Amino acid sequence: MIRLDKYLSDSTAFSRKEIRSLVKRRTITVNGNFARSADMKVNENADTVCVNGENIVYRKFIYLMLNKPQGYLSATEDDRDPVVVELIPEELKHFAAFPVGRLDKDTEGLLLLTNDGQFDHELMSPRKNLYKRYYAELDTPATEEDVKAFASGMHFKDFTAKPARLEIDPEDPSKVYVEISEGKYHQVKRMCEQVGKNVVFLKRVAIGDLQLDPALECGKVRELTAGELAIFGW
Ligand code: URA
């Protein structure tokens, strides 16, 4: 059981003050009866709460897929640059979702956003060993030698990358797919640089078995489906 004002402020954009006023104006019903007060207890799993006749299903957490455009920081706020949370539709902003991990400002593609700290923790955990798949365009064609270098685990000043997969587009070897299970800063770009190539375009296309929805336009956000959440055991 939780307080009515918590039920509604978790699930909607109404503030607690607005909820008190809605109760006074007799716009909220619980199981068909006018709510008595904002602090009355309701069962979030069994009671039917309506505002202006609209059924409000209780939910605390949100899980979003964003097709990130270039130019946005993977952050909740910044003084200079636009941030990815600005792309969340107005009606979902009150959930205060934040990005799960990071993509560089100039990287596009699949970025998850949530307000569920445990989900974030689970996905970011190195134990999870979750593969991330990127599509990259290089300034120089990739070679079979590069494939071997990626697979053997590269050494950097500050870390040794785990074996990674590089797949070359047979039609155009400057287009590649890279799969890494870590997420070190600029990792894909640094691995490409180590074999003498610069990344000129980078887009994340999958996280584990979750693919970026090809129907989701760049800059758009949608909720993950139950099936997509199940991929991560959620
Ligand atoms: N690797 C990079 O270099 N940049 C990203 O945004 C993600 C992975």
Side-chain angles (χ1 to χ4, degrees), residues 102-104 107 134 180 184 186-190 202:
R102 254 184 307 182
L103 289 176
D104 294 339
T107 301
Y134 295 85
I180 53 174
K184 296 284 191 311
H186 292 334
Q187 185 165 341
V188 172
K189 291 173 187 161
R190 289 175 72 190
L202 188 61

Side-chain angles (χ1 to χ4, degrees), residues 10 59-65 88-89 91-98 100 112-117 119 221-224 229 234:
D10 278 351
R59 83 177 158 154
K60 188 167 180 186
F61 296 125
I62 194 155
Y63 308 90
L64 303 169
M65 173 189 287
I88 297 175
E91 68 275 15
L92 299 177
K93 283 226 166 91
H94 72 275
F95 283 103
F98 55 86
V100 177
L112 300 181
L113 300 147
T114 187
N115 58 352
D116 182 345
F119 180 76
V221 171
R222 73 153 168 81
E223 291 193 51
L224 292 186
L229 280 170
W234 222 251

